[in-house]
Amino acid sequence: MGIKNRITLTFTLIITLILLLLCSAVYIFSYRDRVDHFRQRLDGKASNTAILINTKDFSDDMLSMVNESVISSLMRKSIRVYQQTDDKYYPIFTYDDDGATPLNLQNGMLKLLAKKKKFFFEDGSRTGIAIEKKIGQKNHIVLVSAYDEKSELWLSQLRTILIIFFFSSIAVSLGIVYMFATRITASISNISDEVYHISSANLSQRLYIGEGKDELGKLASNVNKLLDKLQASFDTQRRFISNASHELATPLTSIISQMDVALQKERTNEEYRKVINSVKDDMRRLALLLKSLLEIAKASGSPGGIELSTVRIDELLMSLPADIKRISQLYDVRLDFDDFADDDTAFCVYGNPALLYSALRNIVHNACKFSRTKIAYVYLGFTDTHITVSVQDDGPGIAPEDYDLIFQPFFRGYKQDNLIYGTGLGLALTHRIVSLHKGQIVVDTEVGKGSTFRVVLPRDENKA
Ligand SMILES: Nc1ncnc2c1ncn2[C@@H]1O[C@H](COP(=O)(O)OP(=O)(O)O)[C@@H](O)[C@H]1O
Ligand SMILES: [Mg+2]
């Protein structure tokens, strides 16, 4: 069942229940009130009859006359008065309206009267009262019965009114709720249709927000925000792929053209050696590029897919100098650790050692290759909650317009490509790894003087 029908049905059911309770309450209270009222009148009639019988010049005819002449609301009434003589009751007054059902004293009534002096009884659609009373020296029983035709008519009219009110109210509320539900679900259907028609081909399309104040407006606006993020990530990915293909194609084209040129005619051994060496350089560049791309792919997953353990950053840094020396004998890494006295857990981070090493190595390698002296100064410090690795160099610094770009894949700011070799992927990878470890990279730099890259990582909580 659709939401529209469910809303309509639920609300109508609730309204029906409320109406049913209301109508029943009105009818029951009215009915009780009419019954009480009628019984009071019967009681009054019986008491009056008893008083009149007690008067000195009471006569049958006089009492009958009173009953006939007074326009009473008791319809088709029947009145009996019995007098007790020696355990027996003899009728002393009898009166019946036209159309009345004659009333007679029965044994059952006597038994009940012995228990209580007054009671009401129902006989078909007529109601009656029986009273035992001492009039003069003798016991008397007064019986009065009548038909409450007015109440019956009144109650039947009330029933008709309530039934009409009940069904028309349900019809009206059904209509209103249906209209309301249609309006709500139409907005939801619109959003669903619009979302259905958005694909990767028209990701720039956005949902119509309308006034945007209600929940549906918020939903549309949130879907739009999600589309913004998706579009941005699609664009990044597209840029990444086109950059990656370009970077991969460049050395390959260079290899092919060098070989073409070499094959055009017979060449000396020396010339072949030169070509092979140059091709080897291009191949090395290709291999490095592919390795970096692979590492980026690995670091791009969620932390859930990566093996984590407690990593001692000081130990990682310790193996850097020899590793960097292997790239070039000119490079030098100088380590300086904060005094950590007897706390050997101060430099622990919860993360992946291989990824963290790769991130720090990239920064240190950059410092060595971009600085004039080829020396990277690495300083390791800690606070109660974090560990900081600072890598300082006296290189060319980074121009302000490049600040935001250096962490993007394939960006290379330092325009001496031939002198300083690189892929432009190192900092992109480092940034991804540090984010994965919930850390931050802060860069302090001055053009012409040098740069300091600061990696701040949260300390391993279990070891802190
Ligand atoms: N220590 C540094 N000093 C000056 N510029 C730097 C430094 N580190 C990075 N950069 C700039 O950021 C760019 C991107 O760095 P990176 O992603 O490591 O690529 P690559 O090292 O392959 O050039 C570099 O090309 C360079 O312009
Ligand atoms: Mg680099």
Side-chain angles (χ1 to χ4, degrees):
M1 201 191 310
I3 290 183
K4 182 164 75 180
N5 293 343
R6 237 182 305 166
I7 292 178
T8 312
L9 209 75
T10 312
F11 273 85
T12 311
L13 216 70
I14 292 171
I15 291 168
T16 307
L17 265 175
I18 292 172
L19 281 174
L20 206 68
L21 279 176
L22 185 79
C23 293
S24 316
V26 167
Y27 186 77
I28 289 169
F29 282 119
S30 305
Y31 178 82
R32 286 233 182 115
D33 185 57
R34 296 307 292 201
V35 167
D36 284 351
H37 202 68
F38 190 68
R39 285 185 171 185
Q40 271 172 22
R41 284 204 314 250
L42 280 176
D43 198 359
K45 182 86 218 158
S47 304
N48 278 347
T49 308
I51 290 168
L52 283 173
I53 281 174
N54 205 17
T55 51
K56 258 191 247 148
D57 27 44
F58 151 77
S59 74
D60 262 21
D61 293 343
M62 184 194 87
L63 204 53
S64 298
M65 220 168 66
V66 168
N67 277 317
E68 274 164 14
S69 61
V70 175
I71 300 166
S72 154
S73 50
L74 297 174
M75 316 281 280
R76 286 150 69 199
K77 61 185 170 300
S78 172
I79 305 174
R80 300 283 182 279
V81 181
Y82 296 87
Q83 196 175 55
Q84 188 185 19
T85 315
D86 306 331
D87 283 354
K88 283 227 155 76
Y89 286 91
Y90 300 99
I92 55 164
F93 175 69
T94 302
Y95 173 82
D96 286 314
D97 269 343
D98 285 345
T101 314
L103 188 61
N104 289 307
L105 186 64
Q106 287 154 10
N107 275 339
M109 288 180 180
L110 286 174
K111 271 185 204 153
L112 261 176
L113 280 172
K115 275 191 227 154
K116 46 185 181 179
K117 295 288 172 207
K118 173 166 102 180
F119 68 84
F120 292 97
F121 58 88
E122 306 288 331
D123 172 19
S125 60
R126 77 170 165 172
T127 310
I129 184 170
I131 299 181
E132 194 183 301
K133 242 191 162 115
K134 225 180 184 97
I135 304 174
Q137 292 303 310
K138 297 203 163 161
N139 250 351
H140 289 72
I141 291 177
V142 183
L143 300 180
V144 181
S145 81
Y147 289 88
D148 190 5
E149 284 169 5
K150 264 193 189 165
S151 290
E152 257 168 42
L153 184 71
W154 194 86
L155 284 173
S156 101
Q157 279 171 349
L158 181 68
R159 267 197 308 270
T160 315
I161 291 171
L162 286 178
I163 287 171
I164 293 172
F165 167 76
F166 178 73
F167 284 108
S168 52
S169 299
I170 289 178
V172 169
S173 54
L174 192 80
I176 293 174
V177 171
Y178 186 79
M179 254 163 53
F180 180 70
T182 308
R183 260 182 58 189
I184 292 183
T185 48
S187 314
I188 297 176
S189 303
N190 283 346
I191 292 180
S192 152
D193 285 349
E194 283 183 69
V195 170
Y196 180 79
H197 286 110
I198 294 176
S199 66
S200 62
N202 60 346
L203 252 190
S204 55
Q205 199 173 311
R206 293 291 175 269
L207 302 185
Y208 172 69
I209 295 182
E211 301 198 343
K213 296 246 163 67
D214 56 5
E215 282 81 354
L216 290 174
K218 271 187 208 144
L219 173 68
S221 134
N222 283 340
V223 171
N224 282 346
K225 280 183 197 149
L226 177 71
L227 286 171
D228 286 344
K229 283 185 205 157
L230 272 180
Q231 194 184 8
S233 109
F234 260 63
D235 287 347
T236 311
Q237 214 160 344
R238 223 173 274 150
R239 235 184 355 254
F240 184 86
I241 289 173
S242 97
N243 282 334
S245 335
H246 176 77
E247 291 296 318
L248 289 171
T250 310
L252 278 176
T253 320
S254 152
I255 291 170
I256 292 168
S257 52
Q258 284 178 75
M259 289 190 160
D260 277 345
V261 171
L263 287 173
Q264 270 167 7
K265 55 177 192 183
E266 280 294 316
R267 296 191 185 271
T268 62
N269 275 358
E270 187 52 35
E271 279 172 327
Y272 282 129
R273 190 183 300 278
K274 237 171 132 182
V275 172
I276 289 173
N277 265 328
S278 169
V279 166
K280 191 180 142 204
D281 276 350
D282 280 332
M283 298 283 242
R284 206 186 298 130
R285 196 169 151 187
L286 257 182
L288 184 68
L289 200 63
L290 284 173
K291 191 173 157 241
S292 305
L293 283 174
L294 214 65
E295 280 187 342
I296 286 203
K298 257 193 248 163
S300 297
S302 65
I306 296 168
E307 255 179 60
L308 300 174
S309 60
T310 298
V311 185
R312 281 193 61 159
I313 298 294
D314 49 335
E315 282 176 2
L316 282 191
L317 290 176
M318 231 98 84
S319 49
L320 264 178
D323 193 9
I324 294 284
K325 264 243 154 16
R326 239 177 284 138
I327 302 172
S328 164
Q329 282 300 318
L330 297 174
Y331 294 166
D332 193 5
V333 180
R334 310 260 169 97
L335 297 177
D336 177 18
F337 294 169
D338 206 0
D339 187 15
F340 55 100
D342 40 32
D343 187 3
D344 60 350
T345 62
F347 298 135
C348 286
V349 165
Y350 191 65
N352 181 286
L355 288 178
L356 283 171
Y357 182 74
S358 171
L360 296 171
R361 185 181 182 275
N362 280 334
I363 293 178
V364 173
H365 184 193
N366 278 351
C368 287
K369 76 178 180 186
F370 290 114
S371 79
R372 264 172 284 133
T373 52
K374 306 291 162 209
I375 303 173
Y377 296 92
V378 180
Y379 169 76
L380 175 62
F382 68 98
T383 64
D384 283 350
T385 52
H386 288 84
I387 288 169
T388 308
V389 181
S390 306
V391 182
Q392 199 188 342
D393 66 62
D394 61 351
I398 297 159
E401 64 267 26
D402 290 351
Y403 283 166
D404 294 334
L405 300 172
I406 54 171
F407 294 105
Q408 288 193 6
F410 299 109
F411 175 81
R412 302 210 64 220
Y414 200 61
K415 291 292 173 204
Q416 287 172 306
D417 270 2
N418 296 328
L419 291 177
I420 300 171
Y421 178 68
T423 58
L425 290 174
L427 285 184
L429 174 64
T430 300
H431 187 259
R432 229 164 252 203
I433 293 172
V434 173
S435 307
L436 213 61
H437 288 81
K438 300 193 171 63
Q440 264 184 321
I441 305 178
V442 188
V443 186
D444 255 339
T445 177
E446 202 177 321
V447 177
K449 289 214 165 146
S451 318
T452 304
F453 280 71
R454 232 171 246 117
V455 178
V456 184
L457 293 163
R459 279 176 68 180
D460 186 354
E461 276 167 17
N462 304 324
K463 300 280 177 176

